[in-house]
Amino acid sequence: MRVLITGGAGFVGSHLSEALLARGDDVFVLDNLSTGSIDNILHLRDDPKFHYTIDSVTNEPLLAELIDRCDVVVHLAAAVGVRLIVESPVHTIETNVHGTEVVLKHANTKKKLVMIASTSEVYGKSADVPFREDADLVLGPTSKHRWAYACSKMIDEFLALAYWKERRLPVIIVRLFNTVGPRQTGQYGMVIPSFVRQALAGQPITVFGDGSQSRSFTYVGDVVRAMVALINDPRAIGQVFNIGNENEITIGALAEKIKAVAGSTSEIVRIPYDQAYEAGFEDMPRRVPDISKITALIGYAPTVELDEILGRILEHFRLQQA
Ligand code: UDP
């Protein structure tokens, strides 16, 4: 199979590239390195089945040509990270909506299968955990920029499902729940790489809010395995799937755990949300996936749990520092 991965030099994209190459696929990466990094894919460059182009999905002639050469498109290119979203809402909305729009438009001309990466953020403030794919999505007001990300991804989902319904373009939507692992950077605020970097540097570990909010972290290797299995299963077409891990941890407990496994002397400090992000910032207290749908379809089950994930991330950080 020949697979185009937009955003393929990002954290998830680079792991997906590896997984596809390992099973003998040809991989074509299109990435403008806005949040991705060439370092994520350097080790793949010598593989004759790996091809990459540094450019934007909004370069439509190039996008059309790459789609033409591939059987499947996995659309990962997006503005991600809560900090980036709060600081650059225009960029977030335009990148996420317009990028998906052009990917679907060009995929449609050749009727190529498209997988759209969405996010658990779309469940927003819903307290109805665990979140099922058919549940109501509950967002805050438009004056709070955080919700622009969820809303932009909801438009992506609507548009993809509309292409399926109206034009029979085969699409699959995946909602990723706090995907973590080696190569994720804390640059855009993601909690685990931020805490690990702070712990290893002996700097204060910054827990936002009171630390009682919880998340369910999913290992990137489990996520990409699920994505590959869905691409291979025609029954997945026209549907939305959560990809996650049901085990939750509070951010306060996560800080303690990372401090302990890193053998760090860092102090754990609490930073009010207003200071961490912006005045009036709204966080979600819990975010747990219901994974029964994807489990029923492809037998998905997460295989790597948090302690093991943290071990792998710490090893990655230490190797980088060595
Ligand atoms: N968080 C934190 N300290 C940090 C970064 C994040 O306490 O340095 C918190 C953040 O407020 C949220 C959780 O960790 O409650 C997860 O944040 P992340 O940005 O990784 O993902 P989100 O779930 O918000 O998309």
Side-chain angles (χ1 to χ4, degrees):
M1 199 184 273
R2 296 159 74 86
V3 184
L4 170 62
I5 308 177
T6 71
F11 157 59
V12 177
S14 65
H15 284 274
L16 180 63
S17 297
E18 275 173 17
L20 292 168
L21 290 168
R23 61 170 215 164
D25 291 328
D26 282 279
V27 173
F28 294 76
V29 162
L30 176 60
D31 197 304
N32 67 358
L33 302 184
S34 57
T35 55
S37 164
I38 199 77
D39 293 339
N40 288 339
I41 52 171
L42 275 183
H43 62 296
L44 304 175
R45 269 198 318 192
D46 294 335
D47 189 319
K49 286 177 166 287
F50 183 73
H51 318 270
Y52 70 95
T53 310
I54 305 305
D55 210 322
S56 164
V57 291
T58 57
N59 179 342
E60 292 192 46
L62 172 68
L63 177 69
E65 188 195 316
L66 286 168
I67 288 176
D68 215 15
R69 292 168 71 185
C70 290
D71 309 300
V72 180
V73 185
V74 181
H75 181 46
L76 297 174
V80 291
V82 179
R83 180 157 303 148
L84 179 66
I85 283 136
V86 170
E87 282 168 7
S88 310
V90 173
H91 170 75
T92 303
I93 297 166
E94 289 184 351
T95 305
N96 294 358
V97 176
H98 185 57
T100 305
E101 196 182 339
V102 292
V103 165
L104 288 167
K105 180 175 90 177
H106 289 285
N108 185 55
T109 61
K110 297 284 159 70
K111 291 286 183 274
K112 301 281 174 79
L113 174 64
V114 186
M115 173 173 273
I116 299 283
S118 184
T119 167
S120 55
E121 180 88 7
V122 297
Y123 292 103
K125 298 198 276 191
S126 169
D128 192 14
V129 289
F131 298 139
R132 282 171 54 95
E133 291 86 346
D134 56 1
D136 288 345
L137 307 177
V138 187
L139 302 190
T142 50
S143 53
K144 302 207 163 154
H145 293 309
R146 168 187 200 135
W147 304 117
Y149 178 55
C151 195
S152 69
K153 286 291 183 175
M154 281 167 67
I155 287 288
D156 292 352
E157 293 195 18
F158 274 125
L159 191 60
L161 293 173
Y163 263 102
W164 166 239
K165 184 178 172 208
E166 206 178 307
R167 316 230 168 126
R168 298 327 268 175
L169 172 70
V171 301
I172 302 168
I173 293 162
V174 287
R175 292 182 179 159
L176 309 188
F177 280 70
N178 292 76
T179 304
V180 293
R183 292 188 213 134
Q184 185 177 40
T185 89
Q187 212 179 335
Y188 304 100
M190 274 82 170
V191 67
I192 289 188
S194 300
F195 283 3
V196 168
R197 191 179 36 76
Q198 291 164 343
L200 289 177
Q203 291 165 353
I205 299 177
T206 54
V207 172
F208 299 161
D210 67 4
S212 65
Q213 74 273 30
S214 72
R215 292 293 185 272
S216 311
F217 294 98
T218 318
Y219 187 61
V220 64
D222 286 329
V223 171
V224 301
R225 227 168 1 88
M227 292 170 87
V228 173
L230 288 173
I231 288 168
N232 276 334
D233 196 324
R235 294 173 303 168
I237 290 169
Q239 298 206 55
V240 180
F241 296 92
N242 289 335
I243 303 181
N245 182 323
E246 294 158 303
N247 293 327
E248 327 172 57
I249 183 168
T250 67
I251 299 302
L254 178 72
E256 300 284 356
K257 191 186 262 292
I258 289 176
K259 178 176 167 164
V261 292
S264 170
T265 54
S266 290
E267 182 193 357
I268 296 176
V269 296
R270 303 262 188 270
I271 315 261
Y273 284 120
D274 288 11
Q275 265 177 46
Y277 298 108
E278 62 177 354
F281 180 84
E282 293 179 314
D283 200 7
M284 55 273 295
R286 291 177 71 194
R287 189 193 266 165
V288 189
D290 181 320
I291 54 171
S292 52
K293 183 173 177 184
I294 188 168
T295 301
L297 191 81
I298 58 164
Y300 165 82
T303 61
V304 187
E305 295 301 332
L306 189 58
D307 288 345
E308 172 71 25
I309 297 173
L310 293 178
R312 292 186 193 184
I313 294 174
L314 272 163
E315 189 189 318
H316 176 76
F317 267 84
R318 286 188 169 125
L319 282 173
Q320 268 187 331
Q321 284 172 355

